[in-house]
Amino acid sequence: MKKILTITLMSLIFVSCGTSSLKNQDKDQKVYKLFEGVALDQNELIAMISEYTKKSGDASNPEAAEVAREFLEENNYTELLFKKAQASKGYAKFEEEYFKLVDLPISRKFDLLKIKNFNVEEFTDYIAKFNTVEDAVKRLDLIEKIVSNDFPHFHHGDFSSKLILMISKLESEKKKRTVYRAMKSNFKHVTLQLNLYVFQKVPVAALEELVQIQEEKEYKKGRVFLEQYQLKANTEYLSLLSKKLQDAGIEKVDFESLLGKR
């Protein structure tokens, strides 16, 4: 489960300079920066599905996984998110005010210093020896604040946990809820570890500067806007996938009945 979570988070991790990539980033750099990390990386989600089907044995449904892979390849999540956000009345104001914050020199500094190539062995070793890192306590405190301020872990965790359930073959409602809760409960913890690893070369002073920016009123308003439309895009995307699975004869997962209204 932890390996699956780690692969999932490779695409879903988000701080101000997240790891997600948009196909049109060269064409529209402003849009890219605004939505970086919030837009889900379909290639990484496909990798997550493949890893899950390989490692979970009889718990996965290969037919459902194949339908989900095809859906992810054919349906652009990023475009759905953009359309929903850009069609809103508040988008122009959001773009003008929030871009000024995400385009600050500190963001470019983070982008230059972050580790680009994720290595599982190096990651495991770094986390195991983290208490020996210089300023470990201070660094941990700052990264925890960054994750708390700037990582939409509830929406990402909810999305990926539901996606896993949709491609699973679990007999009872109890097992489905257990898998969902296990994914969700571990999500924030693994997210913190990945942030510690990816930004290990970022100086403490830069971390402090970013935390100050994130605590500004205008920054928080921007985050609220992003997460509002991220949630809408997530809900619609999973609904479209659910219909695709049903059309293929795969039973629908009734999340409202399983998890209750949220």
Side-chain angles (χ1 to χ4, degrees), residues 8-21:
T8 306
L9 284 165
M10 279 306 298
S11 63
L12 307 184
I13 188 172
F14 184 88
V15 291
S16 284
C17 296
T19 60
S20 292
S21 60

Side-chain angles (χ1 to χ4, degrees), residues 120-251:
V120 175
E121 291 183 2
E122 289 179 3
F123 163 73
T124 303
D125 187 59
Y126 180 78
I127 295 303
K129 299 176 180 177
F130 180 75
N131 62 343
T132 66
V133 172
E134 185 178 359
D135 295 320
V137 174
K138 183 68 174 177
R139 182 171 288 276
L140 175 62
D141 177 63
L142 291 166
I143 291 290
E144 282 183 328
K145 288 178 180 177
I146 289 170
V147 170
S148 176
N149 289 337
D150 214 22
F151 187 87
H153 48 78
F154 175 82
H155 298 326
H156 280 335
D158 181 68
F159 180 95
S160 54
S161 300
K162 286 178 177 177
L163 178 57
I164 289 296
L165 285 186
M166 293 167 85
I167 62 168
S168 294
K169 192 166 51 179
L170 303 171
E171 296 177 0
S172 68
E173 299 289 284
K174 183 178 180 180
K175 284 185 179 179
K176 291 176 183 177
R177 279 192 288 269
T178 298
V179 169
Y180 176 85
R181 289 168 181 166
M183 291 279 292
K184 287 288 298 294
S185 65
N186 285 293
F187 204 88
K188 189 174 181 179
H189 179 65
V190 180
T191 300
L192 174 61
Q193 291 184 335
L194 281 170
N195 275 280
L196 288 170
Y197 172 78
V198 171
F199 295 102
Q200 61 184 273
K201 295 182 180 180
V202 178
V204 168
L207 295 173
E208 290 174 331
E209 185 178 349
L210 181 60
V211 169
Q212 288 179 349
I213 293 166
Q214 290 177 340
E215 291 175 348
E216 292 179 9
K217 186 189 300 183
E218 292 305 315
Y219 192 93
K220 289 183 177 180
K221 283 182 182 178
R223 290 299 306 155
V224 169
F225 180 93
L226 277 175
E227 293 186 35
Q228 177 186 357
Y229 287 95
Q230 179 198 21
L231 178 57
K232 288 182 178 181
N234 284 4
T235 301
E236 184 170 335
Y237 199 75
L238 287 176
S239 178
L240 292 170
L241 172 57
S242 179
K243 185 178 185 307
K244 183 82 171 178
L245 289 166
Q246 288 177 75
D247 289 345
I250 296 162
E251 185 180 354

